[in-house]
Amino acid sequence: MSTPQVQVKDHRALRFLTAGSVDDGKSTLIGRLLFDSRAILADQLDTLEKRAAGAPIDLSLLTDGLEAEREQGITIDVAYRYFATRQRKFIIADAPGHEQYTRNMVTAAAGSDAAVVLVDITKLDTHASPMPLLAQTRRHALLAHLLRVPSIVFAVNKLDAVSDPAQAFAATKTALLAFAQQAGIAVAGVIPVSALRGDNVTQPLAADWYDGPSLLQLLEALPALQERKDGDLLIPVQYVSREGEGTGNQPRTLYGRVAHGRVKAGDTVQVFPSNQTAVVAEVRLAGDVADVVEAGQSAGVVLDRQLDVSRGDWIATPSTIHETQRFSATLAWLDTEPAVVGRKYWVRHGNRWVQARITAIESRLDIHTLEATEAHQLAVNEIGHVIVETQQALPVEAYESNRVGGSLIIVDPATNRTSGALLVNERSPS
């Protein structure tokens, strides 16, 4: 049976992560993509062959680079790999599957264009009705959805290890789509694969029960993240550079990645938190003077007059920043110490650090039923709806409309651990 080709419309590099439960085969899948696309250096291949000592090479070792990962057979840190086909370039993030390292998965999801959530079909009772999914499969899919990863793909792995792959895949696909519909997740595809054997990873599956694309064909066709280039300007200032030497009126360049909108010479802008306005005298891109710099690019902004601007400030279209000290948010908690009401934390918004506290935990999401339940604290890996108050006003936006202005991280002041990720729902809730 011939497999239909997927038309490639977007040739920009695709950033995607692999996620799922422990031992679902994420690292092996990435190793298979690298191996089949000839993205492995000769010395890497030689090392794998020597380690295998005549047995089939372990492709997971291409991403599991830490010795602790090899000893335990699990992924601990996020490993980034790069490869390319004739159609486009790819940046892959191999995220850990163990619950202890969920924070690493959240890091990998931030800024990703797609998420490939692996489902180990050997761990599921494909004859059960309804068929239960693993908790980490549900959690990682929900986190990717909450973090606004545009395309979510389920890769049903290890089909070579089941006696009736057609029945097993059909049952798993039904369960995944039912879960996605209940959670409001738009699924870009459900793909059967065998990462170990290479079935339907880069080459189409030769089976009469599946006529869809291979995983690589689907990835080649997925759109890259579109930044919001129209509308109001928003830039978090990351670095301030003074030009020239000596004394006198020396221009300063304000550097930051444009969150949304565009900036060009002649634009009137406003700086937060001082709320002073100025006119853009010059914009720079990669060190050179540019006509315009758009969302997704890093800009150097020179103003027509000296203002007190430092790292953590924001540059925006005048009268578009609405600061607040109180907002509601979805909180993904990542620390072993539970999130509790009233305790002070550090939060980072853009490049600004302020103190904050959780004033209310309104609910906790049950990942099995997807219902909001009453909660007084959030344990590690739990997701909840909270109210946050900050010591200083921040120009937060709804995460749904802006991932930069609508996201914050929480850090424990005692341990300096990254404790949670906040996704703003609305400012100043009643």
Side-chain angles (χ1 to χ4, degrees):
M1 175 179 291
S2 62
T3 301
Q5 297 293 316
V6 179
Q7 185 178 2
V8 179
K9 298 180 180 179
D10 194 337
H11 294 274
R12 293 173 298 165
L14 185 81
R15 299 171 59 96
F16 73 92
L17 76 143
T18 57
S21 191
V22 177
D23 294 331
D24 281 354
K26 299 177 296 298
S27 298
T28 302
L29 178 69
I30 293 179
R32 173 62 62 185
L33 285 168
L34 298 176
F35 183 81
D36 288 356
S37 62
R38 303 180 185 275
I40 303 176
L41 298 177
D43 59 338
Q44 291 178 301
L45 186 58
D46 185 56
T47 300
L48 291 178
E49 289 175 343
K50 288 180 179 178
R51 191 180 184 94
I57 62 175
D58 186 353
L59 295 174
S60 69
L61 297 180
L62 289 169
T63 52
D64 290 340
L66 301 178
E67 191 61 33
E69 294 178 325
R70 296 177 179 179
E71 290 174 354
Q72 300 180 53
I74 63 173
T75 300
I76 296 174
D77 200 6
V78 179
Y80 292 92
R81 293 294 182 267
Y82 309 85
F83 78 101
T85 66
R86 293 181 179 180
Q87 301 289 352
R88 74 191 310 182
K89 297 178 181 179
F90 297 92
I91 304 171
I92 323 171
D94 181 21
H98 199 285
E99 287 189 22
Q100 181 180 349
Y101 306 111
T102 299
R103 63 169 61 87
N104 297 27
M105 179 267 166
V106 172
T107 301
S112 290
D113 303 310
V116 178
V117 181
L118 262 73
V119 180
D120 185 347
I121 204 166
T122 64
K123 298 177 182 177
L124 303 175
D125 183 0
T126 58
H127 294 284
S129 181
M131 191 186 80
L133 299 172
L134 296 181
Q136 277 295 78
T137 301
R138 301 169 69 94
R139 181 178 290 112
H140 283 172
L142 285 169
L143 284 172
H145 175 59
L146 289 173
L147 289 164
R148 287 186 62 226
V149 177
S151 300
I152 297 178
V153 178
F154 290 106
V156 182
N157 193 24
K158 303 185 184 180
L159 282 170
D160 57 302
V162 295
S163 58
D164 188 353
Q167 179 276 329
F169 174 70
T172 305
K173 181 177 180 179
T174 299
L176 289 169
L177 293 180
F179 157 70
Q181 183 179 17
Q182 185 183 8
I185 299 174
V187 179
V190 182
I191 310 294
V193 299
S194 169
L196 183 65
R197 200 165 62 185
D199 297 347
N200 209 40
V201 178
T202 60
Q203 300 300 318
L205 183 66
D208 57 5
W209 50 268
Y210 178 77
D211 61 357
S214 68
L215 178 62
L216 183 59
Q217 286 175 330
L218 180 61
L219 292 174
E220 287 178 332
L222 291 179
L225 181 65
Q226 292 281 357
E227 304 285 356
R228 205 177 86 199
K229 298 180 181 180
D230 59 339
D232 303 327
L233 172 70
L234 184 67
I235 305 176
V237 178
Q238 183 177 8
Y239 178 69
V240 179
S241 172
R242 188 179 68 174
E243 308 296 329
E245 299 179 355
T247 60
N249 184 22
Q250 298 170 329
R252 287 169 170 77
T253 305
L254 316 175
Y255 288 98
R257 187 174 185 269
V258 182
H260 57 67
R262 51 170 56 91
V263 59
K264 65 182 185 300
D267 289 347
T268 300
V269 296
Q270 186 174 21
V271 176
F272 175 87
S274 68
N275 289 326
Q276 296 187 75
T277 60
V279 175
V280 176
E282 183 180 274
V283 292
R284 299 175 183 176
L285 178 65
D288 297 325
V289 177
D291 293 331
V292 62
V293 181
E294 298 181 325
Q297 297 177 314
S298 294
V301 179
V302 181
L303 302 179
D304 69 334
R305 66 190 187 97
Q306 295 284 8
L307 296 180
D308 182 12
V309 184
S310 59
R311 176 182 170 88
D313 292 354
W314 296 77
I315 301 172
T317 301
S319 302
T320 60
I321 281 185
H322 305 286
E323 65 267 29
T324 183
Q325 291 183 255
R326 179 181 169 88
F327 57 89
S328 68
T330 299
L331 172 59
W333 194 250
L334 310 172
D335 204 341
T336 52
E337 291 291 326
V340 294
V341 173
R343 185 181 176 189
K344 288 186 178 180
Y345 298 95
W346 282 105
V347 298
R348 175 176 171 172
H349 179 242
N351 297 304
R352 177 180 294 272
W353 289 95
V354 301
Q355 283 192 325
R357 63 190 180 97
I358 300 171
T359 60
I361 298 177
E362 297 190 324
S363 62
R364 178 184 65 84
L365 178 68
D366 187 322
I367 65 169
H368 299 287
T369 64
L370 301 182
E371 294 180 354
T373 60
E374 184 179 356
H376 301 289
Q377 64 179 28
L378 294 178
V380 62
N381 295 328
E382 289 188 334
I383 301 169
H385 186 75
V386 300
I387 304 296
V388 177
E389 286 186 356
T390 58
Q391 192 176 54
Q392 301 171 23
L394 295 175
V396 298
E397 300 184 8
Y399 186 80
E400 185 177 358
S401 62
N402 178 22
R403 298 209 293 189
V404 178
S407 63
L408 304 91
I409 62 170
I410 297 181
V411 172
D412 188 311
T415 63
N416 288 324
R417 287 196 302 260
T418 300
S419 298
L422 280 168
L423 313 177
V424 178
N425 295 327
E426 60 178 345
R427 296 186 296 264
S428 303
S430 56

